[in-house]
Amino acid sequence: MSRVGVLVLGPAGAGKSTFCNSIISHMQTIGRRAHIVNLDPAAEPNKYEFTIDIRDLISLDEVMEELDLGPNGGLVYCFEYLLQNLDWLDEEIGDYNDEYLIFDCPGQIELYTHIPVLPTIVKHLQQQLNFNLCAAYLLESSFIVDTSKFFSGSLCAMSAMILLELPHINILSKLDLVKDEYNKKKLKRFLNPDPMLLLDQANKDTNVRFHDLNKAIANLVDDFGMVQFLPLEANDPESVSTIISYIDDVTQWAEGQEPKEPKDEIEFDEL
């Protein structure tokens, strides 16, 4: 099996950990092996235990207590410490040479916009450990029903796409929590959005002083033409399976599989 990894990104509360657990559950169903690599020093395991856990190296709670730092400052310190000890990560991953690894990342966007923490880790995984990687960026569907928030989320997703330089899949999570039929219909506009059509709605919802800014953001999203979303219902196996198929395509997972030898003719007769 090829060395494949997916970085699960997105703001806090977007459903990243739930998505990671859904991938593990689906993999077990279809007979594939996968492991969660926790890169959030403040996270606790949910349904499935972490196979590799940054808290074995450094804990956010201990950093905040010992250095008198706040949550964000403590998180930055933890990742700077990880960058100084990447040999620890190499050693941990070395035990899972041919496995499918799911990297559950923190929700603080500054880790890949303000400081080059995640980009550095990505390059290390690619260049030193020969991983085929992709990024899955989650936005909560109930959040982006508001057009202005959609543009905000799109800018964050684009920032991650540009800085990480990875094949990128954008996901609308928690669709099953959107119960209102009107909002369900509205969400369809955001799966493959036309930013210029959404601009009119954004202008209706905001003060006229922000219309030029709205137009500039809409043009930026439209010019890049990269922001599309896949729907995710974490409890729906078909929804999870569809997203995994996209991840497999962009990481070329199937191409890295060893060809299976055909069964002997006698074996077929016995079946």
Side-chain angles (χ1 to χ4, degrees):
M1 183 185 291
S2 61
R3 306 195 81 180
V4 170
V6 53
L7 276 76
V8 181
L9 308 167
K16 298 186 295 297
S17 297
T18 301
F19 178 54
C20 292
N21 283 282
S22 297
I23 295 179
I24 294 289
S25 180
H26 182 78
M27 292 296 192
Q28 290 181 350
T29 301
I30 62 176
R32 286 170 59 179
R33 294 176 60 84
H35 302 275
I36 298 177
V37 179
N38 176 44
L39 292 182
D40 186 349
E44 294 287 343
N46 192 342
K47 182 177 179 181
Y48 296 98
E49 292 293 327
F50 302 136
T51 302
I52 301 172
D53 190 351
I54 189 177
R55 295 176 306 162
D56 294 336
L57 175 69
I58 189 167
S59 166
L60 178 60
D61 290 338
E62 293 177 359
V63 167
M64 291 172 59
E65 182 178 349
E66 293 180 11
L67 301 180
D68 195 24
L69 293 172
N72 287 348
L75 189 66
V76 171
Y77 180 91
C78 289
F79 271 88
E80 288 176 345
Y81 187 81
L82 174 61
L83 292 182
Q84 296 170 4
N85 295 274
L86 284 175
D87 55 335
W88 171 85
L89 186 61
D90 295 351
E91 184 177 346
E92 293 291 316
I93 290 178
D95 294 334
Y96 304 95
N97 208 24
D98 295 324
E99 306 289 348
Y100 190 104
L101 298 185
I102 306 158
F103 296 86
D104 190 1
C105 301
Q108 282 75 4
I109 192 173
E110 58 264 29
L111 294 175
Y112 44 90
T113 56
H114 295 48
I115 52 179
V117 170
L118 282 181
T120 301
I121 293 174
V122 164
K123 289 180 181 177
H124 181 80
L125 291 171
Q126 290 176 317
Q127 297 172 5
Q128 303 301 321
L129 302 181
N130 299 316
F131 266 90
N132 290 332
L133 297 173
C134 82
Y137 192 94
L138 275 67
L139 283 177
E140 188 176 346
S141 55
S142 57
F143 171 80
I144 70 161
V145 168
D146 184 324
T147 307
S148 298
K149 292 179 180 178
F150 165 78
F151 282 124
S152 172
S154 295
L155 291 179
C156 293
M158 287 172 56
S159 176
M161 295 169 78
I162 293 168
L163 290 171
L164 293 179
E165 298 181 334
L166 286 176
H168 205 97
I169 296 172
N170 293 312
I171 298 171
L172 282 187
S173 63
K174 302 185 181 181
L175 258 72
D176 49 322
L177 299 183
V178 180
K179 305 297 184 181
D180 182 80
E181 290 298 325
Y182 174 71
N183 284 333
K184 284 183 178 179
K185 292 179 180 179
K186 284 180 65 177
L187 278 174
K188 293 181 180 179
R189 297 186 302 167
F190 300 108
L191 296 178
N192 191 9
D194 184 333
M196 304 316 294
L197 290 179
L198 295 175
L199 173 62
D200 293 336
Q201 184 60 48
N203 285 340
K204 290 179 182 178
D205 297 337
T206 56
N207 190 292
V208 67
R209 292 180 297 174
F210 298 108
H211 287 187
D212 287 342
L213 177 61
N214 291 341
K215 183 177 180 181
I217 294 173
N219 281 326
L220 179 64
V221 176
D222 189 49
D223 288 344
F224 272 87
M226 298 190 299
V227 181
Q228 299 178 354
F229 291 90
L230 296 174
L232 169 65
E233 295 185 37
N235 294 321
D236 181 359
E238 185 174 347
S239 175
V240 176
S241 176
T242 298
I243 292 175
I244 290 176
S245 69
Y246 276 85
I247 294 173
D248 287 345
D249 285 343
V250 299
T251 56
Q252 300 178 331
W253 176 81
E255 295 180 16
Q257 302 308 295
E258 295 183 2
K260 296 180 180 180
E261 295 182 3
K263 293 184 178 181
D264 293 335
E265 198 172 309
I266 297 178
E267 291 179 322
F268 279 113
D269 292 338
E270 292 175 349
L271 293 176

